[in-house]
mmCIF file of all heavy atoms in Angstrom:
data_model
loop_
_atom_site.group_PDB
_atom_site.id
_atom_site.type_symbol
_atom_site.label_atom_id
_atom_site.label_comp_id
_atom_site.label_asym_id
_atom_site.label_seq_id
_atom_site.Cartn_x
_atom_site.Cartn_y
_atom_site.Cartn_z
ATOM 1 N N GLY A 26 10.128 -8.556 10.368
ATOM 2 C CA GLY A 26 10.352 -7.369 9.577
ATOM 3 C C GLY A 26 9.341 -6.316 9.839
ATOM 4 O O GLY A 26 8.220 -6.647 10.334
ATOM 5 N N ALA A 27 9.678 -5.102 9.620
ATOM 6 C CA ALA A 27 8.746 -3.992 9.871
ATOM 7 C C ALA A 27 9.157 -2.807 8.909
ATOM 8 O O ALA A 27 10.302 -2.710 8.480
ATOM 9 C CB ALA A 27 8.770 -3.509 11.284
ATOM 10 N N THR A 28 8.132 -1.997 8.598
ATOM 11 C CA THR A 28 8.379 -0.841 7.766
ATOM 12 C C THR A 28 7.275 0.190 8.102
ATOM 13 O O THR A 28 6.247 -0.132 8.703
ATOM 14 C CB THR A 28 8.371 -1.134 6.266
ATOM 15 O OG1 THR A 28 8.820 -0.015 5.563
ATOM 16 C CG2 THR A 28 6.993 -1.589 5.764
ATOM 17 N N ILE A 29 7.511 1.389 7.701
ATOM 18 C CA ILE A 29 6.506 2.480 7.805
ATOM 19 C C ILE A 29 5.857 2.631 6.434
ATOM 20 O O ILE A 29 6.527 2.627 5.385
ATOM 21 C CB ILE A 29 7.176 3.753 8.258
ATOM 22 C CG1 ILE A 29 7.785 3.704 9.649
ATOM 23 C CG2 ILE A 29 6.176 4.948 8.141
ATOM 24 C CD1 ILE A 29 6.801 3.331 10.728
ATOM 25 N N VAL A 30 4.535 2.744 6.473
ATOM 26 C CA VAL A 30 3.765 2.979 5.239
ATOM 27 C C VAL A 30 3.509 4.438 5.125
ATOM 28 O O VAL A 30 3.057 5.070 6.108
ATOM 29 C CB VAL A 30 2.419 2.162 5.269
ATOM 30 C CG1 VAL A 30 1.648 2.404 3.963
ATOM 31 C CG2 VAL A 30 2.720 0.673 5.459
ATOM 32 N N SER A 31 3.770 5.016 3.961
ATOM 33 C CA SER A 31 3.674 6.477 3.823
ATOM 34 C C SER A 31 2.292 7.083 3.853
ATOM 35 O O SER A 31 2.079 8.241 4.200
ATOM 36 C CB SER A 31 4.427 6.952 2.585
ATOM 37 O OG SER A 31 3.839 6.405 1.438
ATOM 38 N N ALA A 32 1.278 6.236 3.468
ATOM 39 C CA ALA A 32 -0.087 6.767 3.445
ATOM 40 C C ALA A 32 -1.034 5.573 3.569
ATOM 41 O O ALA A 32 -0.724 4.464 3.142
ATOM 42 C CB ALA A 32 -0.391 7.527 2.193
ATOM 43 N N ASN A 33 -2.200 5.788 4.121
ATOM 44 C CA ASN A 33 -3.219 4.746 4.278
ATOM 45 C C ASN A 33 -3.992 4.587 2.994
ATOM 46 O O ASN A 33 -5.180 4.950 2.915
ATOM 47 C CB ASN A 33 -4.132 5.061 5.444
ATOM 48 C CG ASN A 33 -5.081 3.964 5.681
ATOM 49 O OD1 ASN A 33 -4.845 2.779 5.437
ATOM 50 N ND2 ASN A 33 -6.304 4.303 6.200
ATOM 51 N N THR A 34 -3.339 4.068 1.959
ATOM 52 C CA THR A 34 -3.998 3.793 0.687
ATOM 53 C C THR A 34 -3.673 2.355 0.287
ATOM 54 O O THR A 34 -2.646 1.777 0.760
ATOM 55 C CB THR A 34 -3.474 4.717 -0.417
ATOM 56 O OG1 THR A 34 -2.103 4.473 -0.672
ATOM 57 C CG2 THR A 34 -3.699 6.188 -0.094
ATOM 58 N N LYS A 35 -4.491 1.761 -0.570
ATOM 59 C CA LYS A 35 -4.279 0.407 -1.017
ATOM 60 C C LYS A 35 -2.884 0.324 -1.650
ATOM 61 O O LYS A 35 -2.113 -0.616 -1.360
ATOM 62 C CB LYS A 35 -5.323 0.011 -2.065
ATOM 63 C CG LYS A 35 -6.696 -0.173 -1.455
ATOM 64 C CD LYS A 35 -7.710 -0.615 -2.501
ATOM 65 C CE LYS A 35 -9.060 -0.743 -1.876
ATOM 66 N NZ LYS A 35 -10.051 -1.314 -2.791
ATOM 67 N N GLU A 36 -2.551 1.275 -2.558
ATOM 68 C CA GLU A 36 -1.296 1.199 -3.256
ATOM 69 C C GLU A 36 -0.095 1.231 -2.312
ATOM 70 O O GLU A 36 0.864 0.519 -2.489
ATOM 71 C CB GLU A 36 -1.214 2.362 -4.273
ATOM 72 C CG GLU A 36 -2.311 2.332 -5.352
ATOM 73 C CD GLU A 36 -3.677 2.843 -4.901
ATOM 74 O OE1 GLU A 36 -3.742 3.486 -3.844
ATOM 75 O OE2 GLU A 36 -4.662 2.537 -5.583
ATOM 76 N N GLU A 37 -0.110 2.122 -1.327
ATOM 77 C CA GLU A 37 1.052 2.309 -0.419
ATOM 78 C C GLU A 37 1.168 1.088 0.508
ATOM 79 O O GLU A 37 2.311 0.650 0.774
ATOM 80 C CB GLU A 37 0.905 3.578 0.377
ATOM 81 C CG GLU A 37 1.081 4.811 -0.445
ATOM 82 C CD GLU A 37 2.465 4.947 -1.106
ATOM 83 O OE1 GLU A 37 3.462 4.537 -0.474
ATOM 84 O OE2 GLU A 37 2.523 5.386 -2.264
ATOM 85 N N ILE A 38 0.070 0.545 0.977
ATOM 86 C CA ILE A 38 0.123 -0.658 1.860
ATOM 87 C C ILE A 38 0.734 -1.856 1.082
ATOM 88 O O ILE A 38 1.636 -2.497 1.540
ATOM 89 C CB ILE A 38 -1.194 -0.959 2.442
ATOM 90 C CG1 ILE A 38 -1.603 0.123 3.470
ATOM 91 C CG2 ILE A 38 -1.231 -2.343 3.111
ATOM 92 C CD1 ILE A 38 -3.042 0.085 3.924
ATOM 93 N N VAL A 39 0.232 -2.057 -0.144
ATOM 94 C CA VAL A 39 0.719 -3.174 -0.940
ATOM 95 C C VAL A 39 2.169 -2.960 -1.336
ATOM 96 O O VAL A 39 3.006 -3.858 -1.241
ATOM 97 C CB VAL A 39 -0.168 -3.413 -2.191
ATOM 98 C CG1 VAL A 39 0.448 -4.440 -3.131
ATOM 99 C CG2 VAL A 39 -1.560 -3.881 -1.740
ATOM 100 N N SER A 40 2.519 -1.763 -1.743
ATOM 101 C CA SER A 40 3.894 -1.444 -2.143
ATOM 102 C C SER A 40 4.867 -1.643 -0.985
ATOM 103 O O SER A 40 5.918 -2.236 -1.114
ATOM 104 C CB SER A 40 3.969 -0.016 -2.611
ATOM 105 O OG SER A 40 5.284 0.388 -2.949
ATOM 106 N N ALA A 41 4.490 -1.118 0.183
ATOM 107 C CA ALA A 41 5.350 -1.305 1.385
ATOM 108 C C ALA A 41 5.475 -2.737 1.765
ATOM 109 O O ALA A 41 6.590 -3.218 2.158
ATOM 110 C CB ALA A 41 4.821 -0.491 2.548
ATOM 111 N N GLY A 42 4.387 -3.486 1.657
ATOM 112 C CA GLY A 42 4.422 -4.912 2.015
ATOM 113 C C GLY A 42 5.337 -5.706 1.054
ATOM 114 O O GLY A 42 6.095 -6.565 1.466
ATOM 115 N N MET A 43 5.233 -5.389 -0.228
ATOM 116 C CA MET A 43 6.076 -6.066 -1.229
ATOM 117 C C MET A 43 7.561 -5.747 -0.983
ATOM 118 O O MET A 43 8.405 -6.664 -1.052
ATOM 119 C CB MET A 43 5.658 -5.673 -2.634
ATOM 120 C CG MET A 43 4.347 -6.316 -3.079
ATOM 121 S SD MET A 43 3.873 -5.860 -4.716
ATOM 122 C CE MET A 43 4.718 -7.133 -5.645
ATOM 123 N N GLU A 44 7.803 -4.507 -0.765
ATOM 124 C CA GLU A 44 9.258 -4.088 -0.519
ATOM 125 C C GLU A 44 9.837 -4.806 0.635
ATOM 126 O O GLU A 44 10.920 -5.389 0.627
ATOM 127 C CB GLU A 44 9.335 -2.567 -0.341
ATOM 128 C CG GLU A 44 10.694 -2.084 -0.017
ATOM 129 C CD GLU A 44 10.792 -0.601 0.358
ATOM 130 O OE1 GLU A 44 9.835 -0.071 0.845
ATOM 131 O OE2 GLU A 44 11.893 -0.077 0.156
ATOM 132 N N LEU A 45 9.065 -4.820 1.773
ATOM 133 C CA LEU A 45 9.563 -5.477 2.971
ATOM 134 C C LEU A 45 9.729 -6.962 2.760
ATOM 135 O O LEU A 45 10.746 -7.566 3.127
ATOM 136 C CB LEU A 45 8.589 -5.150 4.153
ATOM 137 C CG LEU A 45 8.987 -5.803 5.478
ATOM 138 C CD1 LEU A 45 10.390 -5.418 5.944
ATOM 139 C CD2 LEU A 45 7.944 -5.418 6.525
ATOM 140 N N LEU A 46 8.659 -7.593 2.229
ATOM 141 C CA LEU A 46 8.768 -9.030 2.063
ATOM 142 C C LEU A 46 9.910 -9.442 1.107
ATOM 143 O O LEU A 46 10.663 -10.370 1.403
ATOM 144 C CB LEU A 46 7.410 -9.516 1.469
ATOM 145 C CG LEU A 46 7.076 -10.975 1.616
ATOM 146 C CD1 LEU A 46 7.250 -11.449 3.067
ATOM 147 C CD2 LEU A 46 5.627 -11.206 1.193
ATOM 148 N N GLN A 47 10.124 -8.660 0.035
ATOM 149 C CA GLN A 47 11.247 -8.964 -0.868
ATOM 150 C C GLN A 47 12.592 -8.795 -0.208
ATOM 151 O O GLN A 47 13.485 -9.640 -0.327
ATOM 152 C CB GLN A 47 11.130 -8.114 -2.118
ATOM 153 C CG GLN A 47 10.020 -8.513 -3.023
ATOM 154 C CD GLN A 47 9.739 -7.534 -4.174
ATOM 155 O OE1 GLN A 47 10.154 -6.387 -4.114
ATOM 156 N NE2 GLN A 47 9.025 -8.013 -5.132
ATOM 157 N N GLU A 48 12.715 -7.790 0.664
ATOM 158 C CA GLU A 48 13.927 -7.576 1.396
ATOM 159 C C GLU A 48 14.204 -8.717 2.367
ATOM 160 O O GLU A 48 15.332 -9.156 2.511
ATOM 161 C CB GLU A 48 13.886 -6.245 2.173
ATOM 162 C CG GLU A 48 13.952 -4.992 1.336
ATOM 163 C CD GLU A 48 15.333 -4.685 0.836
ATOM 164 O OE1 GLU A 48 16.352 -5.067 1.456
ATOM 165 O OE2 GLU A 48 15.454 -3.999 -0.226
ATOM 166 N N MET A 49 13.170 -9.184 3.024
ATOM 167 C CA MET A 49 13.290 -10.305 3.972
ATOM 168 C C MET A 49 13.703 -11.605 3.265
ATOM 169 O O MET A 49 14.546 -12.337 3.717
ATOM 170 C CB MET A 49 11.965 -10.526 4.707
ATOM 171 C CG MET A 49 11.589 -9.325 5.607
ATOM 172 S SD MET A 49 9.893 -9.470 6.180
ATOM 173 C CE MET A 49 10.049 -10.792 7.401
ATOM 174 N N VAL A 50 13.139 -11.821 2.073
ATOM 175 C CA VAL A 50 13.480 -13.019 1.292
ATOM 176 C C VAL A 50 14.888 -12.964 0.788
ATOM 177 O O VAL A 50 15.629 -13.934 0.926
ATOM 178 C CB VAL A 50 12.460 -13.146 0.092
ATOM 179 C CG1 VAL A 50 12.916 -14.079 -0.964
ATOM 180 C CG2 VAL A 50 11.069 -13.537 0.571
ATOM 181 N N VAL A 51 15.283 -11.868 0.243
ATOM 182 C CA VAL A 51 16.680 -11.741 -0.271
ATOM 183 C C VAL A 51 17.691 -11.818 0.903
ATOM 184 O O VAL A 51 18.696 -12.554 0.768
ATOM 185 C CB VAL A 51 16.843 -10.345 -1.008
ATOM 186 C CG1 VAL A 51 18.327 -10.088 -1.308
ATOM 187 C CG2 VAL A 51 16.036 -10.392 -2.306
ATOM 188 N N ALA A 52 17.456 -11.162 2.021
ATOM 189 C CA ALA A 52 18.383 -11.193 3.144
ATOM 190 C C ALA A 52 18.620 -12.549 3.706
ATOM 191 O O ALA A 52 19.691 -12.830 4.300
ATOM 192 C CB ALA A 52 17.927 -10.205 4.221
ATOM 193 N N ASN A 53 17.617 -13.442 3.526
ATOM 194 C CA ASN A 53 17.700 -14.771 4.103
ATOM 195 C C ASN A 53 17.791 -15.890 3.105
ATOM 196 O O ASN A 53 17.772 -17.032 3.462
ATOM 197 C CB ASN A 53 16.542 -14.954 5.059
ATOM 198 C CG ASN A 53 16.658 -14.147 6.308
ATOM 199 O OD1 ASN A 53 17.423 -14.486 7.209
ATOM 200 N ND2 ASN A 53 15.951 -13.041 6.314
ATOM 201 N N GLY A 54 17.893 -15.501 1.831
ATOM 202 C CA GLY A 54 18.002 -16.550 0.792
ATOM 203 C C GLY A 54 16.801 -17.503 0.719
ATOM 204 O O GLY A 54 16.968 -18.715 0.545
ATOM 205 N N VAL A 55 15.616 -16.969 0.893
ATOM 206 C CA VAL A 55 14.406 -17.811 1.008
ATOM 207 C C VAL A 55 13.852 -18.110 -0.396
ATOM 208 O O VAL A 55 13.771 -17.236 -1.204
ATOM 209 C CB VAL A 55 13.326 -17.034 1.816
ATOM 210 C CG1 VAL A 55 12.020 -17.821 1.822
ATOM 211 C CG2 VAL A 55 13.827 -16.818 3.234
ATOM 212 N N GLU A 56 13.547 -19.381 -0.604
ATOM 213 C CA GLU A 56 12.842 -19.810 -1.806
ATOM 214 C C GLU A 56 11.351 -19.926 -1.441
ATOM 215 O O GLU A 56 11.042 -20.272 -0.282
ATOM 216 C CB GLU A 56 13.323 -21.160 -2.266
ATOM 217 C CG GLU A 56 14.826 -21.166 -2.669
ATOM 218 C CD GLU A 56 15.116 -20.319 -3.892
ATOM 219 O OE1 GLU A 56 14.259 -20.290 -4.768
ATOM 220 O OE2 GLU A 56 16.227 -19.788 -3.984
#
């Protein structure tokens, strides 16, 4: 998985990481 982070801040990096990871989990039915 990959995504673009909108700004080099703690909040944006964590937010982008959570969004991407959640999308990966849902798309693949991962527990």
Side-chain angles (χ1 to χ4, degrees):
T28 191
I29 297 300
V30 180
S31 61
N33 184 31
T34 65
K35 291 180 181 188
E36 298 78 17
E37 290 299 323
I38 291 170
V39 172
S40 176
M43 287 180 88
E44 176 187 27
L45 178 57
L46 200 50
Q47 288 170 343
E48 290 281 335
M49 294 168 73
V50 164
V51 169
N53 289 283
V55 175
E56 299 292 329

